[in-house]
Amino acid sequence: YVGCTFCSPPKLTQVVYVTQGSDDQPARSYPFIEEASQVVGKLRLSLPGSDHEGQQEGFQYSLENAVVTAYKGDAPERAPGHKTAADHKQAPRQGQGTAPLASVALSELVEEVADLLGREPLPIAIEPVSADSLGDFIRSDLEEVFPERTRTARAHAFSLLGMLPEDANWLDDLARIQLAWRIAATDKTGERIRLLDYVSTDHPYIRLVLVGEIAEALIRQHFYRGRDGKDYQNDDVRRAHEALLRGIGGVAMYRYAQSRGVSASAQPPIEFIQQQRERRTLLPGELRRWQSLPDELGPFFVEFLVGPNGPLSRIDPVLAQPPSTTIEFFRPRWYEDRALW
């Protein structure tokens, strides 16, 4: 759904293939643009079967011979903690060259996140665990979410959709997908968070992930205490509630990043990438996209309702009467006004 602002507001590089010169003109190429800029070029829409380089790379839109100039008008100042272009070039996508955040006690971090949410902090045990222990927790949680009596029908549905062979062990695949990308996990009570024991909470990526988990844990304690996942009428209701929790956590992560002057798109630390590289091989992409839908839809829905700068406490009435379908996350006005259905 990349490119649809109802679903997942895109980054430029996700939807447009940009050329900024050629190999013999390296001075015209900017792998990372540091300041507010104006970009001018020829926008091309490639037809199926085109041999255009952008089309060959999987892009439908291309911006050719882009010319980048400094924008002289009013623009927000660059966050002081943001890294320079040289730092981005040193180790792209590896999480290196990233300045650590100031250390903070975990209890203080809980208080900071509670303040972001506009509510009182509650006790949360943040427990360092091994990758195997986190994997066992994730697997146990999935087995509870998807009872054995429902798995055959779900396997048939995945097969009909062309996502997996019918004899595939999709529950194992889901567990591998989560373990390959997750650094922490919150239990259903919101009273305990498991965090991988080999990562540092001073790393920007790890800190932001932990902020999201703390936000979800606090919301679970305030609004979802006593819910064990068995009282959902159907799976769409469960996914809608999951998207709401992930949305609140995602917006909290973004606002925390802004307050600390770091990029909300910080990359994972190199040790996490190395540890998980083997787990990420041959993972079914369609299944991962299906599973990650709540993470993609939730932040858009929450920000639509509270506004880009509105207090997150505005989401409290929604928590009291949450959406009952995932379609409401694609169309938030349908949640606000039932007459639009």
Side-chain angles (χ1 to χ4, degrees):
Y1 300 107
V2 168
C4 172
T5 54
F6 276 107
C7 316
S8 175
K11 298 178 183 176
L12 175 68
T13 53
Q14 289 179 297
V15 294
V16 179
Y17 183 80
V18 182
T19 63
Q20 303 178 55
S22 57
D23 293 338
D24 59 348
Q25 297 173 304
R28 292 179 56 196
S29 180
Y30 303 91
F32 178 80
I33 298 174
E34 180 75 0
E35 304 290 355
S37 307
Q38 289 179 322
V39 182
V40 179
K42 181 186 292 184
L43 182 64
R44 179 190 294 272
L45 173 61
S46 299
L47 296 174
S50 168
D51 60 359
H52 186 272
E53 58 181 325
Q55 176 78 0
Q56 298 304 310
E57 293 288 337
F59 292 85
Q60 187 175 10
Y61 301 97
S62 302
L63 187 64
E64 299 178 351
N65 298 320
V67 176
V68 182
T69 56
Y71 176 65
K72 301 298 185 182
D74 294 333
E77 292 186 10
R78 178 169 56 94
H82 197 80
K83 300 303 287 180
T84 64
D87 290 308
H88 283 272
K89 293 177 184 175
Q90 287 174 2
R93 297 186 175 276
Q94 296 299 309
Q96 295 179 340
T98 302
L101 296 171
S103 297
V104 61
L106 295 179
S107 59
E108 293 179 11
L109 186 60
V110 172
E111 292 178 0
E112 291 176 7
V113 177
D115 186 59
L116 276 175
L117 298 178
R119 61 188 71 257
E120 292 296 319
L122 294 170
I124 300 174
I126 301 175
E127 176 186 349
V129 297
S130 66
D132 288 341
S133 178
L134 184 64
D136 290 342
F137 173 76
I138 288 172
R139 173 70 191 213
S140 175
D141 184 60
L142 288 171
E143 288 176 350
E144 185 174 341
V145 169
F146 303 109
E148 188 171 0
R149 67 180 183 279
T150 69
R151 295 174 195 167
T152 300
R154 194 175 296 272
H156 186 56
F158 286 145
S159 176
L160 289 174
L161 292 170
M163 296 170 64
L164 289 171
E166 190 156 357
D167 60 349
N169 191 331
W170 59 269
L171 201 63
D172 279 350
D173 286 335
L174 283 181
R176 287 195 304 122
I177 289 170
Q178 287 211 26
L179 190 57
W181 296 96
R182 296 190 70 176
I183 285 173
T186 305
D187 69 7
K188 287 183 171 58
T189 67
E191 297 173 351
R192 182 183 181 194
I193 295 173
R194 293 165 175 82
L195 176 70
L196 286 176
D197 56 9
Y198 62 82
V199 296
S200 168
T201 57
D202 294 342
H203 189 284
Y205 179 87
I206 304 300
R207 179 74 63 81
L208 294 181
V209 169
L210 186 54
V211 164
E213 294 291 338
I214 291 172
E216 180 176 333
L218 289 171
I219 295 300
R220 285 186 179 277
Q221 289 198 52
H222 277 282
F223 287 92
Y224 286 80
R225 188 180 298 275
R227 297 185 70 99
D228 59 4
K230 296 178 181 178
D231 54 347
Y232 293 122
Q233 296 174 350
N234 54 56
D235 197 50
D236 200 34
V237 175
R238 179 190 65 79
R239 300 255 292 172
H241 288 194
E242 181 183 2
L244 183 57
L245 287 169
R246 299 290 172 81
I248 295 169
V251 173
M253 289 167 60
Y254 179 76
R255 294 188 178 186
Y256 184 89
Q258 285 185 311
S259 72
R260 295 300 182 272
V262 300
S263 170
S265 301
Q267 296 296 315
I270 185 64
E271 61 267 26
F272 177 72
I273 295 174
Q274 291 173 337
Q275 286 277 350
Q276 307 300 352
R277 182 174 290 123
E278 183 177 347
R279 290 191 174 98
R280 293 183 183 184
T281 59
L282 302 177
L283 291 174
E286 294 83 357
L287 193 64
R288 181 171 182 270
R289 284 188 286 273
W290 173 83
Q291 188 184 42
S292 65
L293 191 63
D295 302 87
E296 300 294 333
L297 295 179
F300 166 73
F301 178 84
V302 171
E303 191 160 281
F304 180 92
L305 294 179
V306 305
N309 300 305
L312 278 170
S313 57
R314 287 182 184 171
I315 208 70
D316 288 3
V318 183
L319 287 162
Q321 190 174 356
S324 57
T325 65
T326 50
I327 191 64
E328 292 165 83
F329 287 81
F330 287 95
R331 298 288 185 267
R333 292 198 184 280
W334 290 16
Y335 169 78
E336 294 182 315
D337 184 359
R338 294 290 172 176
L340 296 175
W341 285 76

